[in-house]
Amino acid sequence: MKTFHVHLVSDSTGETLVTVARACLAQFEGTNATEHLWPMVRHTSHLERISAGIVAHPGIVLFTLVDERLRTGLLEICREQGVPWIPVLDPVLAALGNYLNAQQLHQPGRQHLLDADYFGRIEAINFSLAHDDGQSAKTLEAADVILVGVSRSGKTPTSLYLAMQHGIKAANYPLIPEDFERGALPASLAPHKRKCFGLTIDPDRLSQIRNERRPGSKYAAIENCRAEVREAETMMKRAGISWLSSTHKSIEEIATTILRDIRPDRLIY
């Protein structure tokens, strides 16, 4: 196992940089990277502690600084310490500048402006929290998507991710034994069936997850999990609801599939 240090220097939150770095590092097996995140670098004085960090833990430097003074200062540090550096956004910015025949603004953090998109995400988060786990059937007509499935199949984290990352108003509604006995979707979901998307899960994995919450209970018993998953999948097939298994998929993959299939009217996807 090759171990090394990666310094991630950003003039904003660093989320973009971390995502890019991890996506690239995932392509190299047998490596173990220790991440050093340096966010909100907005003043040359901030470079002093970054320099000390690089001296203590030499390694590759990835950065998304747009201020020329900060870039120059960081590159001087890298040269002095003999460490490689990568300006992650430069190729994209250069290509966009050439295509648009426009100059960069060189203003940090512009992707986090408190604009309509930002407040839309806040509204979506509040909506998803209010409609978590079937807490409220009110205003479901305002939902962009309604996730359905058995308890602990991944509905809550997926709905919150959709809200936080995409501004999607995602409600989630559990399918319970009473629904299976009736053999039909809950009445409150019937008018919104076209917005429903199902999540299922491998019964063995479901039993493991439920045992962490209620060990030794009927709720977590493998026989019960198998029965619930089977009934839920049958119900979704009967209702014509698209669904996927969350067993081996990340939340990001699940969300992308949902957006691709549901295609909310207000999004181009």
Side-chain angles (χ1 to χ4, degrees), residues 76-165:
E76 288 179 358
I77 293 170
C78 292
R79 293 189 186 101
E80 289 174 359
Q81 300 305 319
V83 297
W85 67 85
I86 301 174
V88 172
L89 298 182
D90 280 21
V92 179
L93 290 171
L96 284 173
N98 290 333
Y99 179 76
L100 299 172
N101 192 27
Q103 295 293 319
Q104 300 175 35
L105 294 175
H106 298 285
Q107 295 178 4
R110 283 187 58 82
Q111 71 271 39
H112 298 296
L113 292 176
L114 302 186
D115 55 11
D117 287 340
Y118 172 82
F119 290 109
R121 291 199 304 274
I122 296 299
E123 183 180 355
I125 292 169
N126 288 331
F127 181 92
S128 295
L129 290 172
H131 294 80
D132 180 45
D133 209 23
Q135 291 184 64
S136 173
K138 297 179 180 178
T139 65
L140 279 179
E141 67 276 2
D144 294 309
V145 61
I146 304 169
L147 303 182
V148 298
V150 299
S151 172
R152 314 306 288 181
S153 57
K155 300 184 302 301
T156 294
T158 301
S159 63
L160 289 175
Y161 178 87
L162 285 166
M164 295 174 67
Q165 297 296 322

Side-chain angles (χ1 to χ4, degrees), residues 168-238:
I168 294 295
K169 291 182 178 179
N172 72 78
Y173 210 102
L175 299 178
I176 59 177
E178 288 79 0
D179 299 320
F180 305 144
E181 291 173 5
R182 288 193 303 269
L185 288 172
S188 56
L189 295 182
H192 313 293
K193 191 167 65 173
R194 71 178 185 86
K195 295 183 179 181
C196 290
F197 192 97
L199 293 184
T200 188
I201 187 171
D202 179 78
D204 291 326
R205 176 59 179 152
L206 179 61
S207 177
Q208 180 184 10
I209 293 172
R210 288 183 172 183
N211 264 303
E212 293 174 357
R213 188 177 188 187
R214 300 182 192 172
S217 64
K218 178 183 177 182
Y219 168 77
I222 184 61
E223 295 82 6
N224 181 63
C225 291
R226 287 171 180 161
E228 286 194 24
V229 169
R230 181 175 62 251
E231 292 291 338
E233 291 180 356
T234 299
M235 180 175 291
M236 290 186 287
K237 288 178 182 177
R238 187 186 304 126

Side-chain angles (χ1 to χ4, degrees), residues 2-149:
K2 179 179 177 59
T3 61
F4 60 101
H5 296 271
V6 178
H7 294 271
L8 308 173
V9 185
S10 171
D11 51 23
S12 188
T13 63
E15 293 176 4
T16 299
L17 190 53
V18 169
T19 299
V20 171
R22 290 180 180 176
C24 294
L25 290 169
Q27 297 300 316
F28 297 90
E29 291 186 347
T31 61
N32 180 28
T34 299
E35 296 177 2
H36 302 269
L37 178 60
W38 308 95
M40 306 303 290
V41 178
R42 301 283 178 87
H43 195 277
T44 53
S45 62
H46 297 160
L47 296 177
E48 296 177 6
R49 53 193 180 87
I50 297 174
S51 177
I54 294 174
V55 170
H57 304 287
I60 190 168
V61 175
L62 279 64
F63 66 90
T64 54
L65 302 178
V66 296
D67 183 282
E68 286 300 331
R69 294 178 308 149
L70 296 175
R71 290 168 61 95
T72 300
L74 180 62
L75 294 184
E76 288 179 358
I77 293 170
C78 292
R79 293 189 186 101
E80 289 174 359
Q81 300 305 319
V83 297
W85 67 85
I86 301 174
V88 172
L89 298 182
D90 280 21
V92 179
L93 290 171
L96 284 173
N98 290 333
Y99 179 76
L100 299 172
N101 192 27
Q103 295 293 319
Q104 300 175 35
L105 294 175
H106 298 285
Q107 295 178 4
R110 283 187 58 82
Q111 71 271 39
H112 298 296
L113 292 176
L114 302 186
D115 55 11
D117 287 340
Y118 172 82
F119 290 109
R121 291 199 304 274
I122 296 299
E123 183 180 355
I125 292 169
N126 288 331
F127 181 92
S128 295
L129 290 172
H131 294 80
D132 180 45
D133 209 23
Q135 291 184 64
S136 173
K138 297 179 180 178
T139 65
L140 279 179
E141 67 276 2
D144 294 309
V145 61
I146 304 169
L147 303 182
V148 298

